[in-house]
Amino acid sequence: MSGYKNILVGLDLSVESSQVLARASDIAACSGAQMSLAHIIEPLTFAYGGDIPMDLSEVQEQLQNQAREQLRKASRGLNIPEERQYVVLGQPATEIHRLAEESGCDLIVIGSHGRHGLALLLGSTANGVLHGAGCDVLAVRVHSPSE
């Protein structure tokens, strides 16, 4: 079996994202794969419903700009060009599937917090990505800094 050639790394840009990126970098280095980074932002209207009597477009744009800057910082030293750094509005699992398919990825790497109880019932991005991906998915168990 040959190694991976094109890896999409889904990052939530939390403190733990560095653990996901480190694991993906190791795999890419071993297999000579190129990496792409993705951060998906759910539209604020999804989170708050359409009932907010104010224009959230400026706030949404600020969130996207901050995410782009964080991806730039995360990619430093990894030789990931800006054209392979994606900040997308939408539902995370759906958009990760779309990006992976459009860019011909053969591996998706995401973080998994291993939540339990109510958070597990509500589902997780990692679970959504796993069930519907057209390629391999690696869910990296991340640990909070206090663990």
Side-chain angles (χ1 to χ4, degrees), residues 1-97:
M1 179 173 129
S2 63
Y4 295 107
K5 302 291 181 218
N6 194 356
I7 301 171
L8 177 64
V9 185
L11 299 174
D12 65 3
L13 301 178
S14 65
V15 174
E16 295 91 0
S17 288
S18 61
Q19 297 169 45
V20 177
L21 193 53
R23 183 63 54 89
S25 295
D26 289 347
I27 294 168
C30 289
S31 62
Q34 75 172 4
M35 286 195 320
S36 300
L37 304 181
H39 175 69
I40 314 303
I41 300 172
E42 288 195 70
L44 292 173
T45 54
F46 283 13
Y48 297 105
D51 299 335
I52 297 179
M54 58 193 300
D55 182 12
L56 297 173
S57 59
E58 189 174 318
V59 174
Q60 192 79 63
E61 188 175 329
Q62 288 175 352
L63 289 172
Q64 288 174 269
N65 289 337
Q66 289 172 353
R68 281 188 197 93
E69 182 56 33
Q70 286 183 279
L71 281 185
R72 270 193 287 278
K73 288 179 183 175
S75 68
R76 285 191 187 129
L78 298 174
N79 296 321
I80 302 170
E82 275 194 49
E83 59 267 13
R84 289 201 325 261
Q85 297 173 32
Y86 305 101
V87 174
V88 179
L89 246 66
Q91 196 282 327
T94 301
E95 293 302 323
I96 288 173
H97 292 154

Side-chain angles (χ1 to χ4, degrees), residues 68-143:
R68 281 188 197 93
E69 182 56 33
Q70 286 183 279
L71 281 185
R72 270 193 287 278
K73 288 179 183 175
S75 68
R76 285 191 187 129
L78 298 174
N79 296 321
I80 302 170
E82 275 194 49
E83 59 267 13
R84 289 201 325 261
Q85 297 173 32
Y86 305 101
V87 174
V88 179
L89 246 66
Q91 196 282 327
T94 301
E95 293 302 323
I96 288 173
H97 292 154
R98 183 185 62 76
L99 285 170
E101 184 175 325
E102 286 178 3
S103 56
C105 290
D106 50 5
L107 176 65
I108 299 169
V109 180
I110 51 171
S112 176
H113 294 274
R115 292 191 172 102
H116 303 284
L118 184 60
L120 184 62
L121 289 175
L122 294 174
S124 70
T125 298
N127 191 45
V129 171
L130 178 63
H131 297 288
C135 63
D136 291 350
V137 177
L138 172 63
V140 177
R141 178 63 52 112
V142 295
H143 302 281

